[in-house]
Amino acid sequence: PALVQLVDLVKNYYMGTQTVHVLKGLNLSFDEGDFIALMGPSGSGKSTLLNILGCLDRPTSGRYYLAGMDVSQMDDDQLSEIRSSYLGFIFQSYNLLPQYTVVENIELPLLYQGVRLDERTRQHCIALAEMVGLGDRLDHRPLQLSGGQQQRVAIARSLVNNPHLILGDEPTGNLDTRTSIEIMQMLRELNRLGKTIIMVTHENDIAAWARRVVRLRDGRVESDTRNDSRTVVE
Ligand code: ADP
Ligand code: ADP
């Protein structure tokens, strides 16, 4: 079943008298449990699309259905609610707070949502840290960790609300090849466990880990292909 359905999705930016047409009527549907790489040259609309998928921005016209709900018509409060109950975010720059420990960084989304932190939420976050292999680093701060470890904290944080959909913005963009493979193995494992993943990347080696590759060019879908399972050499 489709977790995400985009119907004639258009995004324009208005700058003075100029209209910038960024997404020019996308029709795409992403199945629950799929793993999608979003590619395309700089300026093709990837970030704009990811922001809309992440309910951080709204389309100019067209529809975005997430788990059957028309999120393109929702107001800011409703979108914020959708972000915290359906979505997890991973960024190229990890976006961790330096003064917070590993476990506190994982707790952050709960804190932002006004969830009361207690022993139960603490144990939940510790379990997530253990899941990403950082059970012995709970009280470390980001700067005491390698880039790969920081991204693993970010992955644990993205899971804190048990999201349906994980959105990645160049999640391996700051990592060396070996560490990138480690992170992709982790994302693949999450996908095996049922998480739907959509990640922007400009690297073919990274896109090869996805099941499906959608290429944008100039605000339109240029190609949409399935990787066969032998593409990746682990
Ligand atoms: P990509 O992520 O593929 O590089 P973007 O989605 O960032 O592409 O940008 C697509 C186009 O939209 C670019 O031409 C960019 O200049 C334009 N754009 C993006 N954000 C804005 C904005 N806030 N205002 C005006 N133009 C924008
Ligand atoms: P870029 O990749 O374009 O440099 P980022 O990926 O760092 O930008 O962030 C994109 C936007 O998403 C930012 O405005 C950031 O504040 C916002 N953001 C980051 N995490 C979350 C979250 N968990 N919920 C809602 N918004 C978020």
Side-chain angles (χ1 to χ4, degrees), residues 47 50-51 54-56 83-84 87-93 95 109 112-113 157 169-170:
S47 302
L50 201 67
N51 282 339
C55 296
L56 299 161
R83 282 199 300 275
S84 47
L87 304 175
F89 296 89
I90 311 169
F91 303 96
Q92 173 170 6
S93 48
N95 292 8
Y112 286 146
Q113 290 154 31
R157 180 187 56 189
D169 186 358
E170 302 269 8

Side-chain angles (χ1 to χ4, degrees), residues 14-33:
Y14 301 95
M15 304 202 297
T17 57
Q18 287 268 81
T19 302
V20 184
H21 301 274
V22 179
L23 300 177
K24 300 174 181 173
L26 298 182
N27 289 286
L28 281 168
S29 134
F30 299 129
D31 288 342
E32 180 109 52

Side-chain angles (χ1 to χ4, degrees), residues 84 87-88 103 105-111 113 117 121 124-126 128 153-163 195:
S84 47
L87 304 175
V103 74
N105 266 287
I106 297 172
E107 284 173 342
L108 266 183
L110 302 176
L111 194 66
Q113 290 154 31
L117 300 181
T121 56
H124 173 54
C125 293
I126 291 174
L128 290 171
V153 177
I155 291 172
R157 180 187 56 189
S158 79
L159 295 171
V160 77
N161 285 310
N162 196 23
K195 297 296 181 195

